[in-house]
Amino acid sequence: MRHGQVRCVPAVCCWALVLTGLLPLLILQSPDVRFGAAPALQYVVVAHSGGALTRVLTDTRVRLAALGFWLFTYVWLGLAPLAMLATGAYPHEYRADDSTSFAATALIELGLLAYSGGAALAGRRPHGGRRLHGARRSHGGPVSFERLLSRRLAPWPVLLLSALVAGAGAVLIPRLGGVGAFFTSRQAVRETGAAEEWTRALAIWALAVPAFWALVGLLHLRRAAAPGDRLLRNLRLLLLPLLVVLNAIVNNPISRPRFWAGTVLLVLLCTTPRFSGPTAFRRIAAGLTVAVLLVFPYGDYFRYDDREAVRVVSLTEQFTANMDYDAYQQVQTGVDRVAETGFAPSAALGAVLFAVPRSVWPEKPRDTGMALADWAGYAFKNLSAPLWIESYLWAGLPAVAAVFTALGAAGRRLDDIRDRARDGRPTLALLLVPAFAVYQMILLRGSLMGVAGPLMLLLGLPLFLTSRAPRSTSRLPRTASRVPQNASRDLRTASRGSRTTSRGSGKSRLPSPVGSLAGPARTPIP
């Protein structure tokens, strides 16, 4: 319950029935279904993630970060592993025994419990907008985090970035194969030009992410600019069509990864005032859940130049044959690798210092997905490495618990701050939280070294587009005003303790309520 609002009970029952009952039963319809300790524990993961996703889909608040996390865990580490364990079929050749499967499933559930615990602890902390007795606001962690996200959209940095991106697009698009390559396939964009593949990938990301943020900034610039600024309005009208065309070229779902194309679409949608409320969020979340389950498996149609005819198959076959769902099998591989070679704490530095070239750091750790592929003997190296196995390789179960507790707490704080800021001016919270919420699905899938660069660009550019809010308004508005509650409390205090009897008159006098709130009442002149 929140401010008199309660969840819709029929919606809760329907989503819980579908996510924790109907879909798992459809997967277990295989004639040769297997049972055991690992599949039983895997259903616990399905029930946990499905129940948490049900809470998000029926919440009376906007919970974007929680939606991204629980949707990924339900599909990639809930339903997909259940199909693999029940049928014995996997996307790759490597096969783990029952004990490894049980350990991998327990590792995933530990991460979910830690995330839930971190979110619960963050939810118990007082909001940054509440003044604490005896607390210094300038050194408070939550307050500083909220002040950072209260940065306001700045018009001139948005216009500067838009102009730079438009010029960069005119130079880079011809070198990346021209406009036609961006509407052919992802392979066509990667293989055009004389530069190496990693250079082309870097150039594409360096163009796609700034173009996306420039468009978002221009769309919200009208709300951030001062009324009557004709020069600003004219520049915005000049640049906006150019950025729309540029984003249609470099951020279309044909030549860009599905997760990134979804991030662009969802951010543009969720930052629109009309679609920023709880009701619109529940509808968007429901549509996204259905799309991830039914449409996402066929979204790689434009990945290669040589396309096969689309063949619709069951969810079980998709989960067990499509390499897009190899996350659980990579967790199994990582558990066996740790049992043989031990932990690798230095691997954590690879994601943090991803920008350091190997010519400077020859011992730089390898991409975890590729390292696991080499250990398992795969010829194809571009594989995922979920955050669960990444953190497990660093220092075992304590690292997993610490990473996901921090992630849960951060996600809850982001959702709370963004929910309180959705009705105000364009702030960093309004722009950044939807982007992180969707892109974190790539972060969770891994590997970290592969997504660290685009993630830093995605989260860092909005800081350039915003400026510090005035100190008097740096706190984001709370969902409910505190004035009526304080006023009623002061009135009750005044009525109990401020009745006085005038000398010589014998009459009781009650001070004015306005005087009790504004300050001490003036003494009447006799």
Side-chain angles (χ1 to χ4, degrees):
M1 180 182 296
R2 182 187 179 218
H3 307 305
Q5 299 180 4
V6 295
R7 299 175 191 269
C8 178
V9 176
V12 172
C13 295
C14 289
W15 278 115
L17 180 63
V18 171
L19 296 178
T20 63
L22 180 60
L23 291 179
L25 285 178
L26 289 177
I27 290 176
L28 296 176
Q29 289 298 312
S30 174
D32 300 325
V33 63
R34 303 180 180 185
F35 296 98
L41 183 59
Q42 183 59 42
Y43 181 76
V44 174
V45 174
V46 172
H48 185 173
S49 56
L53 184 57
T54 298
R55 287 180 56 85
V56 173
L57 294 171
T58 58
D59 207 327
T60 59
R61 298 167 297 176
V62 178
R63 299 182 60 194
L64 290 165
L67 172 65
F69 179 85
W70 290 114
L71 182 57
F72 175 84
T73 54
Y74 177 73
V75 176
W76 274 264
L77 296 176
L79 292 180
L82 184 65
M84 297 174 194
L85 293 171
T87 61
Y90 292 84
H92 304 303
E93 298 83 7
Y94 185 82
R95 293 294 182 271
D97 56 24
D98 292 339
S99 61
T100 299
S101 300
F102 186 86
T105 304
L107 177 64
I108 294 170
E109 178 62 20
L110 173 63
L112 301 187
L113 291 172
Y115 184 92
S116 300
L121 290 175
R124 293 173 60 89
R125 301 181 70 172
H127 293 308
R130 181 180 301 173
R131 187 177 297 277
L132 301 179
H133 296 289
R136 292 189 176 183
R137 300 183 51 82
S138 60
H139 301 290
V143 176
S144 300
F145 190 39
E146 187 160 343
R147 186 175 296 123
L148 173 65
L149 293 178
S150 68
R151 293 170 61 93
R152 293 179 177 177
L153 192 65
W156 292 109
V158 173
L159 295 176
L160 177 60
L161 178 65
S162 302
L164 292 176
V165 167
V171 174
L172 291 178
I173 289 178
R175 297 184 179 182
L176 295 171
V179 175
F182 283 88
F183 291 95
T184 303
S185 67
R186 290 167 58 184
Q187 180 184 4
V189 177
R190 290 197 307 266
E191 294 180 352
T192 53
E196 297 181 1
E197 182 176 353
W198 70 271
T199 305
R200 291 193 298 273
L202 181 62
I204 294 171
W205 280 113
L207 179 61
V209 178
F212 159 67
W213 278 126
L215 177 61
V216 173
L218 286 177
L219 291 174
H220 292 274
L221 200 57
R222 185 173 57 181
R223 298 168 57 197
D229 196 333
R230 182 173 299 180
L231 176 61
L232 194 63
R233 182 179 58 188
N234 292 338
L235 290 176
R236 174 181 177 271
L237 293 178
L238 175 64
L239 291 171
L240 186 57
L242 298 178
L243 267 297
V244 171
V245 173
L246 179 60
N247 276 272
I249 296 173
V250 301
N251 284 321
N252 68 78
I254 297 177
S255 58
R256 303 305 295 141
R258 288 163 288 176
F259 281 115
W260 173 248
T263 300
V264 172
L265 178 62
L266 265 296
V267 171
L268 292 174
L269 193 62
C270 292
T271 55
T272 305
R274 183 177 180 181
F275 298 101
S276 62
T279 301
F281 164 73
R282 289 192 292 270
R283 294 172 181 172
I284 294 173
L288 180 62
T289 301
V290 174
V292 168
L293 284 169
L294 302 180
V295 180
F296 179 85
Y298 308 99
D300 62 345
Y301 178 75
F302 297 101
R303 176 177 291 180
Y304 303 107
D305 291 337
D306 298 330
R307 303 186 184 101
E308 299 179 356
V310 176
R311 186 172 64 93
V312 179
V313 298
S314 65
L315 280 177
T316 301
E317 186 174 348
Q318 282 287 0
F319 290 150
T320 56
N322 193 334
M323 287 195 300
D324 290 332
Y325 301 98
D326 69 343
Y328 179 74
Q329 193 173 17
Q330 288 291 87
V331 175
Q332 291 178 318
T333 306
V335 170
D336 279 346
R337 183 194 174 190
V338 167
E340 179 177 314
T341 63
F343 300 114
S346 61
L349 297 177
V352 177
L353 304 176
F354 68 93
V356 179
R358 294 191 180 275
S359 59
V360 179
W361 186 12
E363 296 81 15
K364 181 179 178 179
R366 293 191 61 197
D367 180 281
T368 304
M370 295 183 179
L372 293 177
D374 283 340
W375 188 84
Y378 299 148
F380 186 73
K381 309 295 184 183
N382 188 20
L383 302 180
S384 66
L387 188 57
W388 284 259
I389 198 60
E390 288 259 19
S391 53
Y392 182 72
L393 288 170
W394 299 341
L397 299 180
V400 176
V403 167
F404 282 91
T405 299
L407 185 62
R412 177 59 182 267
R413 288 288 298 157
L414 288 172
D415 279 340
D416 288 346
I417 294 173
R418 196 264 179 189
D419 187 45
R420 296 199 301 277
R422 59 186 170 84
D423 295 329
R425 296 181 59 181
T427 61
L428 187 60
L430 180 69
L431 306 179
L432 197 61
V433 175
F436 171 78
V438 184
Y439 198 79
Q440 74 169 324
M441 299 176 73
I442 308 180
L443 174 68
L444 294 171
R445 186 173 182 263
S447 60
L448 286 180
M449 287 188 64
V451 304
L455 181 64
M456 293 298 293
L457 195 60
L458 179 68
L459 302 183
L461 269 179
L463 291 174
F464 169 74
L465 299 180
T466 56
S467 60
R468 292 182 61 181
R471 193 168 185 83
S472 59
T473 59
S474 60
R475 287 183 293 159
L476 296 173
R478 296 188 62 193
T479 308
S481 175
R482 296 191 302 130
V483 174
Q485 179 182 357
N486 292 346
S488 61
R489 182 176 66 244
D490 291 342
L491 287 173
R492 290 195 299 269
T493 302
S495 64
R496 287 195 302 265
S498 299
R499 279 193 175 90
T500 60
T501 303
S502 300
R503 292 185 180 181
S505 63
K507 295 180 180 180
S508 298
R509 180 175 55 85
L510 179 63
S512 168
V514 176
S516 65
L517 292 177
R522 282 190 251 175
T523 304
I525 299 176

